[in-house]
Amino acid sequence: MAGKLFGAALMLAVMSAAPAWAENQTTADKLVIDAPTLTAIGVEWKITGDDNLNAVVEVSYRRKGEQGWRKALPLLRIHHEVINSAQPPFRPVEPTPANPNGERENPWHYDTGNMFAGSVLNLQPDTDYECRYQLTDPDGVGGDKEKIITVHTRKEPGPATGGRTFHVYPIGYKGAMQQPSFIGLMRAYNMGSSASDHDHTFPPRVKPGDTILVHAGTYISDRFHYMNGMPHPGYNNLAAVTDGTYYLTASGTADKPIVIKGAGDGEVIFDGAGNANLFNLLRADYNYFEGITVRNTTVAFLLGWKDITGSSGFTLKRSRIYDVARAVSQEWSGSRDVFIADNVIIGRHEPTKMMSWSGALWTNLPGFPESLNSEYGIKVYGQGHVVMHNYIANFHDAIDVSTYGEPDGTPGIADAAVSGPSELNERMASGIDFYRNDIYNMGDNCIESDGGAHNIRVFENRCFNSAAASLSAQPIFGGPVYFYRNLVYNAPSGGPLKFADTPAGVYVYQNTFVGGDTSPGGPASNTHLRNNIFLGTGSERPVFQLDTYTNYSTSDYNGFSVNKGTNNFAWNSPPDGTLADYDYTHKLTVRRFPTLKDYAGATGQDRHSVMLDYKVLVNVVRPELSDPQRLYNPEDMDFRLRPHSAAIDAGMELPTITDGFAGKAPDLGAYELGQTLPDYGPRALPTGVSGPEEVGYRSWNGPPRPDLHLLPRGVADR
């Protein structure tokens, strides 16, 4: 099993490395429970000791009331990995022409501490689970050897019953109005509204559980004229004067959110008239939006600023956002329970071709460097957030954890050498899920876990056409971050993975990576890869290379194609016999190999891995290296495995990830043969979004839906 395999690798690395004064017995300390999501429960179990790293925490779980326990993945062993060791403290950065003052772009130096951490995955929403954690150590255990917790998974947010309902209509509406009715959103949300000096004088009307139904029409303020120019009745009822922002300040609760929802009689359009921020919810908790369109603004929903203020419980469902620079921005560490699902979010980037901001591949192509008209679709920080089933296209990044820096409460650089981590557990980026999103045409990354601390789960996403790396860990502050069952296609210059700024604690499980050379960079610490498919571009670069500061990073049970270069594999780490080395002045031992056999024999990595080619997939073409700007569409290909190919039954069991596999062992890649494929993107299209019969649907309206239109080519025989 995975825990035993990792444990064996650790022992090989530390047999000659443990100092004579090492404390090898493990003493259990506090168990921290992250905010649960719909499908996962994450914990961190703090410990002392176990300096020889041979302790293990096995995990099992069951629904409350069940008798038998089911096996989950073991917790990840985290042992004082160091983040951003490439620029350690107390060493000046050498001045350069671009950086004459020697300033540090990444000013952190973080020790992960001593603990286990991990998640029970693929649970059911709104359900009580018991999770059992069993700690063993051949050298002995002090304190609790077992902990059992009961946690209720989160349910999908929805409107409450029993609250009041208000009806909102646009200026100039001529029909009959349902009562109570208001012209403009602010008149309904607050006790009054004004586009003048009085625009912030009215207290909120809405209370927890209330619903505002917004009827079809376009809601846009004349923010350039005092009193909105007073053209007709209702001029006072729009957004604030000058900035054109809706300042929403009332809070609901988790069970009784304040709901702003399209009434269902046509498209509801909120137009920002080119303003900086349309909806400001910096102090409004549990506000819920559904079935609206937002356009023509820099930031559609502003939810939080680092070190200043922010909100929790924001929900955005079945809505359409386009012509924005950022759709949702939340960078406050105290935020909880953001939920974003079933939306179509379209940026301003060139919709017909890819372009990146950096790299020799792009330098001489038209449009270089990319114009940052749309920076990111969604960015969050905090705990308990879920971003699922969205379609996002034409941004720099699609979905990000905020690259926040060291978690709150951590000592600064000057104190890092004399005091260990003292982060505030409730203010760390932990317990965050990004899944089943459909992402298309990014100038940089599809998904960034950057800045995450523990139990960041990125799974079952589809990423097509990312100019740079697709899935990013830059950095991770201890982990684990789980990248599993993702499909990545066409990442011409960065490949499917980016390990930058020395992340620590990365799982890469059961993914299909196609059409991007697979050198994730690094160095990364405490990194583990299993059951993946890596099909390269046929370039001169290695098809697989990992740089790591820890000799307990591991890789096995993967499938690789062959590139043209003389060295297809590389594993660069500290010298043999060294457990870990974070001193950037000590160069990693470079190990390069032409074949999988040579690589496995010399390093002990990927001993059970196999060689593959594109023929293992039903109908997939290799991206054309000579045309990196070309966009490929997922409906034109079929990424299922061919029966009897080398990828069938070639994996290892990963509890909760490979449950239900057929055959002798799990298959490699994101799709197990014979299983139902993931349903990427919105489960139902938002109002105002139609299908492929419209020209440019993939850029403006979202992907085709099998339940609404003809099945795409290659999948009609599922």
Side-chain angles (χ1 to χ4, degrees):
M1 290 310 304
K4 293 180 180 179
L5 193 155
F6 295 165
L10 290 176
M11 284 304 298
L12 288 173
V14 304
M15 285 175 61
S16 62
W21 57 88
E23 183 183 353
N24 291 333
Q25 175 179 300
T26 300
T27 301
D29 200 343
K30 181 181 180 182
L31 184 77
V32 176
I33 304 173
D34 296 337
T37 59
L38 279 69
T39 63
I41 295 168
V43 301
E44 298 99 55
W45 195 351
K46 316 289 185 177
I47 64 169
T48 58
D50 189 35
D51 288 338
N52 59 356
L53 301 184
N54 63 347
V56 175
V57 174
E58 297 288 349
V59 183
S60 53
Y61 70 102
R62 63 189 179 189
R63 291 191 184 189
K64 190 173 183 180
E66 292 181 341
Q67 295 301 310
W69 292 92
R70 287 174 277 182
K71 196 174 186 66
L73 289 168
L75 297 186
L76 175 68
R77 180 69 177 91
I78 298 171
H79 184 69
H80 296 292
E81 289 83 25
V82 177
I83 285 80
N84 205 38
S85 57
Q87 295 179 355
F90 320 121
R91 297 182 187 270
V93 178
E94 291 296 326
T96 66
N99 185 13
N101 297 321
E103 295 171 344
R104 298 156 56 92
E105 180 181 355
N106 303 320
W108 56 76
H109 186 78
Y110 180 83
D111 181 319
T112 62
N114 200 12
M115 71 182 81
F116 289 88
S119 300
V120 180
L121 307 170
N122 295 328
L123 303 176
Q124 294 298 311
D126 197 18
T127 302
D128 283 320
Y129 284 94
E130 292 179 309
C131 301
R132 181 175 64 185
Y133 304 92
Q134 295 173 303
L135 171 61
T136 60
D137 186 340
D139 304 303
V141 174
D144 293 333
K145 296 181 180 180
E146 178 178 284
K147 288 185 180 289
I148 298 177
I149 61 173
T150 300
V151 179
H152 189 84
T153 53
R154 187 180 172 196
K155 66 179 179 180
E156 183 168 333
T161 58
R164 300 172 297 172
T165 299
F166 306 118
H167 294 269
V168 168
Y169 295 87
I171 288 177
Y173 183 81
K174 301 297 184 183
M177 297 183 183
Q178 299 183 58
Q179 300 302 321
S181 65
F182 303 89
I183 299 297
L185 175 63
M186 297 308 289
R187 181 70 68 163
Y189 196 91
N190 293 329
M191 296 300 292
S193 61
S194 173
S196 68
D197 295 351
H198 303 88
D199 58 2
H200 298 301
T201 60
F202 300 96
R205 182 193 311 274
V206 290
K207 298 179 180 179
D210 287 349
T211 295
I212 297 176
L213 291 179
V214 186
H215 291 264
T218 299
Y219 296 79
I220 182 170
S221 295
D222 181 1
R223 62 190 183 89
F224 299 105
H225 292 93
Y226 195 70
M227 304 286 278
N228 285 304
M230 298 187 292
H232 38 63
Y235 61 85
N236 249 342
N237 302 348
L238 304 176
V241 68
T242 303
D243 55 21
T245 298
Y246 293 100
Y247 292 96
L248 307 182
T249 59
S251 290
T253 66
D255 293 329
K256 293 184 177 182
I258 294 169
V259 175
I260 298 172
K261 183 178 179 181
D265 52 4
E267 188 172 12
V268 173
I269 300 173
F270 287 98
D271 191 306
N275 71 341
N277 168 220
L278 191 52
F279 288 99
N280 183 304
L281 295 106
L282 288 174
R283 71 168 298 240
D285 293 336
Y286 294 97
N287 276 232
Y288 173 112
F289 293 79
E290 181 177 351
I292 66 173
T293 294
V294 179
R295 70 186 188 193
N296 194 15
T297 184
T298 299
V299 179
F301 295 93
L302 180 59
L303 310 179
W305 285 322
K306 179 180 177 179
D307 296 335
I308 300 176
T309 190
S311 60
S312 292
F314 170 82
T315 293
L316 179 67
K317 294 170 63 175
R318 294 194 61 189
S319 293
R320 180 188 184 197
I321 303 176
Y322 68 96
D323 190 15
V324 297
R326 302 172 179 174
V328 179
S329 181
Q330 167 58 284
E331 298 187 83
W332 184 59
S333 64
S335 177
R336 295 290 182 275
D337 298 339
V338 167
F339 184 85
I340 302 172
D342 301 307
N343 304 288
V344 171
I345 302 174
I346 309 296
R348 297 164 173 165
H349 277 208
E350 168 60 53
T352 62
K353 61 183 180 182
M354 273 200 295
M355 175 47 65
S356 187
W357 59 277
S358 178
L361 183 66
W362 308 96
T363 304
N364 296 320
L365 295 173
F368 180 84
E370 65 163 345
S371 179
L372 200 62
N373 297 316
S374 290
E375 184 184 4
Y376 54 78
I378 298 165
K379 181 172 285 191
V380 295
Y381 196 81
Q383 294 191 9
H385 306 319
V386 174
V387 181
M388 69 180 204
H389 284 288
N390 301 283
Y391 176 74
I392 305 178
N394 307 337
F395 282 86
H396 179 77
D397 292 338
I399 305 170
D400 296 348
V401 174
S402 173
T403 310
Y404 188 88
E406 293 184 6
D408 286 355
T410 301
I413 291 174
D415 301 321
V418 295
S419 56
S422 58
E423 64 272 345
L424 305 175
N425 286 304
E426 69 277 8
R427 302 296 287 264
M428 300 182 76
S430 301
I432 297 174
D433 291 349
F434 299 154
Y435 61 99
R436 295 206 172 185
N437 299 286
D438 197 8
I439 299 169
Y440 187 89
N441 189 22
M442 295 295 121
D444 195 30
N445 311 132
C446 287
I447 295 177
E448 290 187 352
S449 60
D450 308 2
H454 305 298
N455 295 307
I456 311 299
R457 293 153 308 231
V458 178
F459 61 99
E460 294 187 351
N461 300 282
R462 181 168 68 183
C463 171
F464 257 61
N465 311 304
S466 55
S470 302
L471 306 177
S472 173
Q474 186 184 1
I476 295 296
F477 291 94
V481 56
Y482 296 83
F483 295 117
Y484 72 93
R485 289 202 182 280
N486 298 287
L487 171 62
V488 173
Y489 180 83
N490 191 29
S493 63
L497 298 167
K498 180 176 68 174
F499 299 162
D501 291 347
T502 64
V506 183
Y507 283 143
V508 183
Y509 286 168
Q510 209 76 48
N511 302 281
T512 297
F513 297 139
V514 180
D517 292 328
T518 50
S519 299
S525 303
N526 200 10
T527 298
H528 309 280
L529 302 95
R530 299 289 185 276
N531 294 9
N532 303 286
I533 290 176
F534 295 96
L535 299 180
T537 62
S539 74
E540 300 290 333
R541 294 181 292 180
V543 73
F544 179 72
Q545 174 179 322
L546 183 70
D547 295 352
T548 177
Y549 282 135
T550 53
N551 271 325
Y552 48 89
S553 293
T554 64
S555 181
D556 206 356
Y557 292 91
N558 301 297
F560 305 99
S561 67
V562 175
N563 274 351
K564 294 178 181 178
T566 57
N567 290 310
N568 269 282
F569 298 92
W571 188 275
N572 306 323
S573 67
D576 293 341
T578 301
L579 179 64
D581 188 348
Y582 304 103
D583 189 333
Y584 84 110
T585 65
H586 298 168
K587 293 184 178 180
L588 299 176
T589 299
V590 176
R591 306 176 184 90
R592 297 173 179 169
F593 309 95
T595 68
L596 174 61
K597 182 178 179 180
D598 294 336
Y599 154 60
T603 66
Q605 306 294 338
D606 284 296
R607 289 181 175 177
H608 301 92
S609 297
V610 296
M611 296 304 298
L612 306 174
D613 58 29
Y614 277 71
K615 293 180 181 179
V616 302
L617 305 177
V618 171
N619 178 27
V620 176
V621 299
R622 187 169 67 188
E624 180 53 59
L625 276 174
S626 63
D627 187 11
Q629 292 194 286
R630 177 180 172 183
L631 298 176
Y632 297 83
N633 293 334
E635 60 270 18
D636 295 333
M637 302 184 207
D638 189 339
F639 289 83
R640 292 174 300 166
L641 296 175
R642 292 183 184 273
H644 312 298
S645 72
I648 301 297
D649 295 347
M652 66 175 290
E653 185 178 354
L654 301 169
T656 65
I657 293 180
T658 61
D659 291 356
F661 70 86
K664 298 178 181 178
D667 302 335
L668 302 184
Y671 300 159
E672 176 80 12
L673 183 66
Q675 289 189 352
T676 302
L677 301 187
D679 185 12
Y680 301 112
R683 293 165 291 184
L685 291 177
T687 302
V689 177
S690 54
E693 66 276 3
E694 285 194 17
V695 175
Y697 73 89
R698 187 164 285 287
S699 292
W700 292 105
N701 296 302
R705 295 280 307 171
D707 57 339
L708 300 178
H709 306 286
L710 294 176
L711 284 169
R713 292 192 298 276
V715 297
D717 58 343
R718 288 179 187 168

